Amino acid sequence: MTTLTSPAAAAPAPRRPAAGPPPEALALVRRSRTTGRARAVVVSTGLALACVAVFAVSLTLGDFRLPLREVLPAVVGRGGPDADFVVTTLRLPRAVTGVLVGALFGLSGAVFQSLARNPLASPDIIGITAGSTTAAVLVIVSGTTVGGTAGALLAGVPTPVAAFAGGLVSTTLVYLLAYRGGLSAYRLVLVGIGVAAVCTSLTQWLLTRAEIYDVQQATVWLTGSLNGRGWDDVRVLAVAAAVLVPAVLALARPLRALQLGDDTARGTGVPVERTRALLVLVGVGLASSATAVAGPVSFVAFLAAPLARRLVRAPLTLVPAALAGSLLVLVADLVARTAFGTTELPVGIVTGLVGAPYLLWLLTRANRVGRTG
């Protein structure tokens, strides 16, 4: 008996290509990872050396000037009594706080600007810092504005926790209002500016209802200042950096893929929405931690990442952005402490004087590009 078989059954089934990312998408992501790598190392080394130089100078200058040869022994507690007090109690914790605050702001700006692919999408432009500020001010003045049991409970909340919660709430609000089946960079910026305006209004309303002492305390904090920062503040920032900086570096690869567009990122196997949510959460933590300790030091997050990108000439520069942020804060604080005689300005005023013209230039340039198509 002869068994009949169909040609399709007799012929071997064609082998299906193995499932995986398209080679074109992988090549694109691989090229984005290697672009500017050598230059990033050189730029990072230069920025780190500049930070060390400004850090050392900041320890020598002030009302009580110290030569560098007396500063170095005082750092390890082997200087004279006056030098030990000035360096280890006053200037060293302030300078370390400036380094960490600048690095956290710089990293946060790099994350959000890269995620939105828009230089205006900085935490201090799209409402993240404003949300942290409103929550922190609410905690500072709650004893006099809220009163009762609720006021006592709010007053017991640590300011860093309140700042993180406020930043997370404002970011979630911006994300939900801007999301329309996808995240448009321009819609994110516009919604963020609106949410920032609402948070600023709430902050001002809280200040109008507070006692004068609380208003003075909150106003100094609102300007962004490193004055009086000590080792307790350094410990808070160090814990935040130890948790958040490795998380950002671990997410650098999917962030590079997201910069090339959602479709390309999905093609390389990146879970787009989950990765974006993690990056937003980490970015909020970075900005909120820095804001909780030093206040909303304006334009550091806005300036650090573009400065690093111009130096490295690459689209994503996390480590150079962190170092650029540290250098900006160190230089601004040194100028604020020493350039105006006996008057010591908050560091936020100096960074504002630098950042505001850049923001105006960026808006003018964007408007010109938009008008000409």
Side-chain angles (χ1 to χ4, degrees), residues 59-339:
L59 296 183
T60 65
L61 297 181
D63 293 336
F64 187 75
R65 294 200 172 201
L66 289 168
L68 191 59
R69 65 177 182 278
E70 294 185 19
V71 167
L72 294 178
V75 170
V76 294
R78 295 187 175 182
D82 293 339
D84 281 356
F85 175 76
V86 170
V87 172
T88 60
T89 306
L90 301 179
R91 295 179 189 170
L92 187 58
R94 178 174 181 149
V96 175
T97 301
V99 170
L100 293 174
V101 164
L104 296 183
F105 271 134
L107 270 178
S108 179
V111 168
F112 281 106
Q113 290 172 350
S114 301
L115 200 57
R117 287 173 284 168
N118 190 319
L120 288 173
S122 170
D124 42 2
I125 301 293
I126 62 172
I128 300 168
T129 307
S132 298
T133 301
T134 302
V137 169
L138 176 63
V139 168
I140 292 173
V141 304
S142 58
T144 54
T145 56
V146 180
T149 306
L153 290 175
L154 283 173
V157 176
T159 305
V161 175
F164 179 79
L168 190 60
V169 169
S170 64
T171 307
T172 304
L173 191 60
V174 170
Y175 193 89
L176 293 177
L177 291 175
Y179 193 84
R180 293 288 184 276
L183 199 62
S184 162
Y186 284 104
R187 195 162 53 230
L188 178 73
V189 171
L190 289 177
V191 172
I193 290 173
V195 170
V198 172
C199 291
T200 303
S201 299
L202 285 173
T203 303
Q204 296 299 324
W205 178 75
L206 287 170
L207 292 177
T208 60
R209 295 175 55 84
E211 297 291 337
I212 188 65
Y213 175 78
D214 291 337
V215 172
Q216 290 175 343
Q217 184 183 358
T219 301
V220 173
W221 185 84
L222 282 170
T223 310
S225 175
L226 298 178
N227 189 26
R229 299 304 183 267
W231 292 113
D232 289 341
D233 300 304
V234 172
R235 278 189 279 275
V236 171
L237 291 171
V239 171
V243 174
L244 297 172
V245 173
V248 172
L249 297 179
L251 291 168
R253 184 175 180 180
L255 179 56
R256 285 191 181 90
L258 285 174
Q259 281 186 299
L260 302 173
D262 289 1
D263 293 337
T264 303
R266 287 193 184 94
T268 58
V270 173
V272 171
E273 297 304 332
R274 189 175 65 190
T275 304
R276 185 177 282 137
L278 286 174
L279 284 164
V280 168
L281 188 64
V282 172
V284 169
L286 291 166
S288 300
S289 303
T291 304
V293 170
V297 183
S298 55
F299 294 118
V300 175
F302 180 64
L303 286 172
L307 177 61
R309 282 197 298 271
R310 284 183 178 276
L311 291 173
V312 178
R313 299 175 188 168
L316 182 61
T317 53
L318 292 177
V319 175
L323 291 169
S326 297
L327 185 60
L328 279 172
V329 174
L330 281 174
V331 172
D333 187 50
L334 184 61
V335 171
R337 279 199 305 119
T338 60

Side-chain angles (χ1 to χ4, degrees), residues 342-367:
T342 57
T343 303
E344 186 173 312
L345 297 179
V347 64
I349 292 180
V350 179
T351 56
L353 289 174
V354 177
Y358 175 72
L359 174 61
L360 292 175
W361 173 81
L362 194 63
L363 290 173
T364 305
R365 182 172 174 271
N367 187 42

